Amino acid sequence: MRVRPLHSLALAALVLLPACPAKEAPPPVEEQPEPAPPRRGDLPVIAARGRLEVLAPPALEPSLHDRFGMLLREREVLADFARRRGLELVILEQPSAAAAVVALEAGEGDLAITVPLTEARKARLAFGPPLGTVEEWLVGLPGPDYPDDLPTSLRDLGEREIVVPASSAVAELLAARRSEPPRFRLVLDEERDAAAIAAAVAAGEVPLTVLPRPQLAELSNEYPALTALLMVNQARSLGWALRPDAPELLLALRGFLTEKAMTGHTEELFTGDLDGIRQRGVLRVITRNNPVTYFLYNGSPRGFDYLLVQRLADRLKVRLEMVLAPSRDLLIPWLLEGRGDLVAASLTVTPDRAEQVTFSRPYLHVDEILVEPAAAPPVTSKEALAGRTVHVRPSSSYHRTLKALGVGVRLVAADETKETEELIDEVARGAIPLTVADSHILQTELTWRDDVRAGLNLTGAEPEEEGEQPKPAKAIAFAMRPGSPRLERAVNAFVAASYRDLEYNMARQRYFESSRRIAQANAWRVPAEEEGRISPYDDLIRKYSAKYGLDWRLMAALAFQESGFDPEAVSWVGAQGLFQVMPATGKELGFTNLKDPEQGIHAGIKYLRQLIDRIDPKLPFRQRVRMAMAAYNAGLGHVQDARRLAARRRLDPDRWFGHVEKAMLLLEKPRFHRWARHGYVRGREPVKYVSEIQNRYDNYVKLVPE
C-alpha cells in the first residue's frame, strides 16, 4: 500500500474520533496551531527569515567523500555560502534525493542538494552548475543467471525484472532504455527507497536494481553479496535544485559555486620549499589591498609590491597567485598555516616578527612618521607626545615604536582591517587626532592631499656627518616560513639582482612620486555605490553571465584578456568586440554587430557556455571551464588532441594545469602534432591564455567579492 503523507493520516484520525455525548458539555478545545506555511520565497525572504533551509539526502561515509571532489563537501560549501550572507544553515535530512525533490516542490525547504539531474526535473526545477557526476550500476547477486560472465548490456537481461524507486532519476533512464529489445521488465516501486530495494536484492526477494556507485559502496559493507553487474550510466550529473520562483537565490548560488570551483586551489594549505612551489607551478603571495601594495585598476592588478613579486614569479617560471588576508594581523599566521609562500605587504622587519618568520634582504628602507592634521599645531618633540592619543593597529610596527618611546603616549587600537591610508584619511577628516605611517606611504598620500602633514620622524637616525641626509631606520622585506632555505636563497638572489635596478627605480617613481599613477591607485577608494566594479560593462557582463550560469567576474577576466575592455577591438584574424568573437561564429550564434557591447558580450559568453557543455561532463566543473577557455583561444579540436596526447604521456587528461597544458605545448613539435587529428597548434598561446585568465579571475574574486 502506498504510504500517505503524515498530515493526511492525522486528519483522518481526527475525523474518526467518536462524537461527545449530547447531554454533556464538550470540554474546551485548545486551538490547534496552524500548520507552518510552506517555506517559499526568494533570497530576500530567506534573508528576512535569517535561515537557509536545505533539503539533503543522507550523508555518505567520510571515506567515500574523496571520490567526487567538491561535490562531497557540499555541506561545508553551503555553510560558507550561508556565512557570507549572514544566514543560519539548517539541514533538513531526507530519506533520499527523490524525497528531497518532492519536499522542495512542496515548499518545505529553499533548495535540495545532491540531486541527480533528469530531463523531467530540469523542466520543473532550476539547477545550479553541476558539482560532479556519478556512475549508476545495475546491482544483483552473482549466481547461475550469469554462469560465464557478467552482462555486457541491458539486452543480456532478457525478461528479467529491474526494480527501482518510482520517483528516482534512474526510473526515467530505464524507461527510455526499454525500447531496446529484448525488453527487460521495469518495476517502479511506490513505497521503498533505493536502500530498501537493495536490501531486498541482497535477501533474494528482488532480482535486480540500480544504485549510484557511492551508495553501492556504502551498502556493500552491510550486504557483501551485492555485486555491480553492469554500468548503465557513466556520468549522471548531480547538482543543487531550486524552485523556479527563486531567481535571485539561483543567481547568487551560481556565482558562488563557480567561484568555489575555480578558486578552490587558493584554499589549499602548502608548507613546502621552492621545489614544491615549482612542482605546483604557483607562487602564492599573501598581501593586502591598498594603493602601495596591491590594487585593481581598469581590470588589471597593480601596486609596487605586486610588481616586484610578479617579477619574482617570472624569474622562478611559475604563476603568481595573490592571497588577500582579511586583516593585517593575519599576514604572518596565514603564512605559517601554509595559505601562502611569501608575504609581500610592506612588512617592516621587527625583532618579534623575526622570531616567527624568515625575512629576505630588505627591498625598501623607510622611517615611521607621525601624521598630523595640517591645520593643527605641530607636535615638536617626542616628549610632547606625552598624554596625546595616537591610533595605530596593535599588530603594526608603529605600536611597538610608540610604546618604546616611554613618554606616556595614549595608544588606541585601530581596526586590523584598516590600512594605514585609511587611518591617514581619518586624521584628515578629524575622526582621530594622530596616527603613524611609513614614510613611503605618507609620501604617496602627500602627492595628492594637503589636509595632513608629516610630523615627527619617530625612527630616523641622526646623520653621521653634518649636512648628510639621515638614513631610513626601518627595513621592509619579504617574509617566508622558517625551514624554506631554497626559497629564501632564491628570493634573496632576486632582491640582490633587482634592488635599485632600472625597473625597480621606475616602479618606485611610478607608485611613490607620480601623481598620475597615484591617482589611479586611489581608485581603490571608490564610493559605496561604485564598489565591486571592474569595467564600464559590468552590468551587461552580469546580465549574460547570469543567463548562462557563469560567474560574471570570470567573464570579465576573459573579456579583459581578449580586448582590454575595448568594444572596438579587432584582431589580426578579424575577431571583433569585447570578447573577440569571429564574425562567422557570431552569425551562427545570432549576432550581427559584435562591436556593439551588448551583442559582443552576449555572443562571447554564449559561445563559452557552448564550449563548456561540449567538454566531457565527467570532468569537474573547474576543469571543464579551463578546457573550454583553452578551446576559446585555440579551438576545441586542439584541446581534444592535447587530452589524448596527455593520456599517452601518462599525464592526467582530465586536469589542465600541469597536465593537458604540457601536452598542448608538445603539439608545437612535429613528432607530436603529425599524429594529432587537428595538427599543429601554437600551444604556448592557450597555455598562457588560461593561466592569465585564471590569475586575473583570482584577483577579481579577492578584490571584488560578491
Side-chain angles (χ1 to χ4, degrees):
M1 181 177 116
R2 185 170 181 175
V3 178
R4 283 190 284 174
L6 182 60
H7 61 79
S8 298
L9 295 175
L11 181 60
L14 287 173
V15 170
L16 294 174
L17 284 175
C20 297
K23 55 185 175 181
E24 292 184 15
V29 178
E30 293 184 8
E31 287 190 14
Q32 296 298 318
E34 296 261 342
R39 299 173 179 87
R40 296 186 184 275
D42 205 351
L43 197 54
V45 175
I46 296 168
R49 186 200 310 144
R51 298 188 311 280
L52 179 68
E53 298 176 334
V54 177
L55 301 155
L60 296 174
E61 291 296 321
S63 61
L64 300 175
H65 282 201
D66 295 333
R67 298 186 182 190
F68 302 100
M70 181 176 170
L71 165 66
L72 300 166
R73 296 189 291 112
E74 284 178 293
R75 298 187 187 204
E76 177 187 334
V77 171
L78 273 168
D80 190 11
F81 176 79
R83 241 185 338 263
R84 292 194 192 186
R85 297 274 168 175
L87 301 170
E88 175 192 0
L89 177 63
V90 178
I91 300 293
L92 305 172
E93 294 278 1
Q94 304 295 306
S96 65
V101 169
V102 172
L104 176 68
E105 292 184 303
E108 296 176 13
D110 301 314
L111 72 151
I113 63 172
T114 325
V115 174
L117 274 66
T118 69
E119 292 305 315
R121 287 174 181 171
K122 287 192 287 185
R124 303 193 318 266
L125 299 168
F127 283 89
L131 300 180
T133 60
V134 65
E135 297 172 358
E136 292 170 324
W137 283 77
L138 183 72
V139 175
L141 298 178
D145 289 315
Y146 309 105
D148 300 321
D149 206 349
L150 296 179
T152 58
S153 75
L154 292 174
R155 294 185 181 89
D156 296 342
L157 302 180
E159 297 291 329
R160 298 197 73 206
E161 194 175 86
I162 303 177
V163 182
V164 296
S167 57
S168 64
V170 76
E172 184 180 326
L173 171 71
L174 293 176
R177 296 278 181 88
R178 286 186 69 240
S179 60
E180 302 174 9
R183 296 182 179 179
F184 56 86
R185 293 177 57 208
L186 176 61
V187 177
L188 303 180
D189 195 311
E190 295 276 357
E191 298 182 353
R192 291 178 291 188
D193 63 14
I197 296 172
V201 172
E205 300 166 3
V206 168
L208 298 167
T209 190
V210 175
L211 293 173
R213 169 64 79 177
Q215 189 174 25
L216 172 59
E218 186 175 39
L219 290 172
S220 294
N221 295 326
E222 188 173 354
Y223 309 111
L226 285 178
T227 303
L229 303 173
L230 173 69
M231 185 168 62
V232 297
N233 190 1
Q234 187 177 17
R236 168 81 67 185
S237 293
L238 300 165
W240 292 357
L242 300 84
R243 289 183 301 277
D245 61 356
E248 290 187 44
L249 178 59
L250 177 63
L251 179 60
L253 283 170
R254 277 177 169 171
F256 173 79
L257 288 174
T258 303
E259 175 189 325
K260 294 293 285 188
M262 296 298 296
T263 63
H265 57 281
T266 65
E267 299 176 4
E268 297 171 0
L269 302 182
F270 170 80
T271 55
D273 202 353
L274 181 59
D275 51 350
I277 292 169
R278 283 186 162 135
Q279 185 176 0
R280 295 170 75 243
V282 178
L283 176 69
R284 300 168 308 152
V285 175
I286 302 172
T287 191
R288 286 283 292 164
N289 175 214
N290 61 56
V292 166
T293 300
Y294 173 62
F295 63 95
L296 193 66
Y297 180 74
N298 279 353
S300 182
R302 305 279 177 86
F304 181 72
D305 293 81
Y306 173 79
L307 186 146
L308 292 181
V309 293
Q310 182 63 71
R311 291 182 64 191
L312 172 61
D314 291 343
R315 182 185 177 106
L316 298 177
K317 297 182 180 179
V318 294
R319 285 195 308 119
L320 175 64
E321 181 182 300
M322 303 302 286
V323 179
L324 272 183
S327 60
R328 278 268 170 187
D329 58 333
L330 289 176
L331 290 170
I332 289 176
W334 274 32
L335 174 69
L336 298 177
E337 286 175 23
R339 293 174 182 262
D341 309 306
L342 188 78
V343 174
S346 293
L347 198 63
T348 306
V349 179
T350 65
D352 52 338
R353 288 172 178 168
E355 291 178 1
Q356 303 176 71
V357 300
T358 299
F359 280 105
S360 70
R361 296 176 57 151
Y363 63 88
L364 202 60
H365 292 84
V366 298
D367 280 319
E368 295 177 356
I369 309 296
L370 187 69
V371 181
E372 308 171 316
V379 178
T380 56
S381 68
K382 294 176 183 177
E383 291 71 23
L385 278 171
R388 301 293 295 270
T389 300
V390 185
H391 292 243
V392 291
R393 295 181 304 273
S395 70
S396 67
S397 61
Y398 315 142
H399 193 274
R400 188 176 188 278
T401 298
L402 289 165
K403 284 188 71 174
L405 292 178
V407 297
V409 180
R410 292 177 57 196
L411 292 175
V412 175
D415 189 336
E416 290 288 351
T417 64
K418 288 185 177 179
E419 292 300 302
T420 301
E421 291 85 352
E422 294 176 86
L423 295 173
I424 292 173
D425 189 63
E426 290 185 7
V427 171
R429 293 187 285 106
I432 62 175
L434 299 167
T435 192
V436 178
D438 285 335
S439 51
H440 71 304
I441 294 175
L442 184 57
Q443 177 186 0
T444 301
E445 293 291 294
L446 292 176
T447 60
W448 68 275
R449 70 187 317 156
D450 57 8
D451 45 8
V452 293
R453 66 165 175 263
L456 290 172
N457 186 332
L458 301 178
T459 57
E462 294 295 326
E464 296 178 5
E465 298 181 11
E466 188 175 348
E468 183 182 6
Q469 289 293 322
K471 295 180 180 178
K474 308 289 282 189
I476 287 177
F478 301 120
M480 293 157 283
R481 278 183 302 278
S484 302
R486 293 182 180 179
L487 178 61
E488 181 185 352
R489 286 195 295 270
V491 173
N492 282 332
F494 165 75
V495 175
S498 60
Y499 182 64
R500 296 293 187 177
D501 69 3
L502 178 62
E503 282 192 65
Y504 176 98
N505 287 328
M506 289 177 64
R508 181 171 178 142
Q509 182 180 32
R510 182 184 310 150
Y511 289 105
F512 303 152
E513 300 171 19
S514 166
S515 57
R516 177 172 171 269
R517 284 290 185 180
I518 291 166
Q520 292 177 357
N522 282 324
W524 77 296
R525 295 188 179 94
V526 293
E529 65 272 13
E530 295 180 17
E531 285 183 0
R533 296 203 67 81
I534 294 174
S535 78
Y537 308 102
D538 286 359
D539 291 341
L540 288 172
I541 296 175
R542 282 178 187 266
K543 174 182 175 181
Y544 290 106
S545 297
K547 179 179 176 68
Y548 294 102
L550 297 167
D551 187 343
W552 73 276
R553 296 165 298 180
L554 179 62
M555 296 301 93
L558 177 64
F560 183 89
Q561 186 76 20
E562 287 289 343
S563 68
F565 297 134
D566 178 7
E568 298 292 326
V570 179
S571 76
W572 67 277
V573 294
Q576 298 178 7
L578 286 161
F579 279 78
Q580 291 291 278
V581 176
M582 292 295 291
T585 303
K587 188 174 181 181
E588 289 177 10
L589 296 169
F591 304 98
T592 57
N593 183 9
L594 295 170
K595 292 184 179 180
D596 172 68
E598 182 155 10
Q599 288 197 39
I601 289 168
H602 191 175
I605 296 175
K606 182 177 181 179
Y607 182 49
L608 182 72
R609 178 76 253 185
Q610 288 185 354
L611 290 171
I612 293 170
D613 292 340
R614 292 175 67 186
I615 303 292
D616 187 347
K618 297 193 303 297
L619 270 62
F621 182 68
R622 65 182 179 277
Q623 302 299 345
R624 292 171 65 199
V625 173
R626 289 167 183 160
M627 304 282 185
M629 289 192 298
Y632 195 102
N633 176 262
L636 185 58
H638 292 304
V639 173
Q640 304 293 28
D641 282 346
R643 291 189 66 203
R644 285 187 285 268
L645 179 58
R648 290 200 296 270
R649 302 286 293 180
R650 296 185 179 179
L651 298 168
D652 188 343
D654 295 345
R655 293 174 61 192
W656 174 259
F657 287 122
H659 295 268
V660 177
E661 68 170 355
K662 288 183 177 179
M664 185 67 79
L665 292 171
L666 293 176
L667 288 175
E668 293 185 340
K669 300 179 180 180
R671 72 188 188 97
F672 293 106
H673 70 65
R674 71 163 56 107
W675 304 109
R677 294 180 187 177
H678 297 84
Y680 169 80
V681 62
R682 289 198 294 185
R684 281 168 290 185
E685 290 188 8
V687 166
K688 180 181 178 184
Y689 182 86
V690 175
S691 177
E692 291 185 351
I693 292 174
Q694 178 70 66
N695 191 45
R696 184 171 294 109
Y697 175 59
D698 291 345
N699 291 329
Y700 288 176
V701 166
K702 295 177 180 74
L703 296 175
V704 190
E706 279 290 81

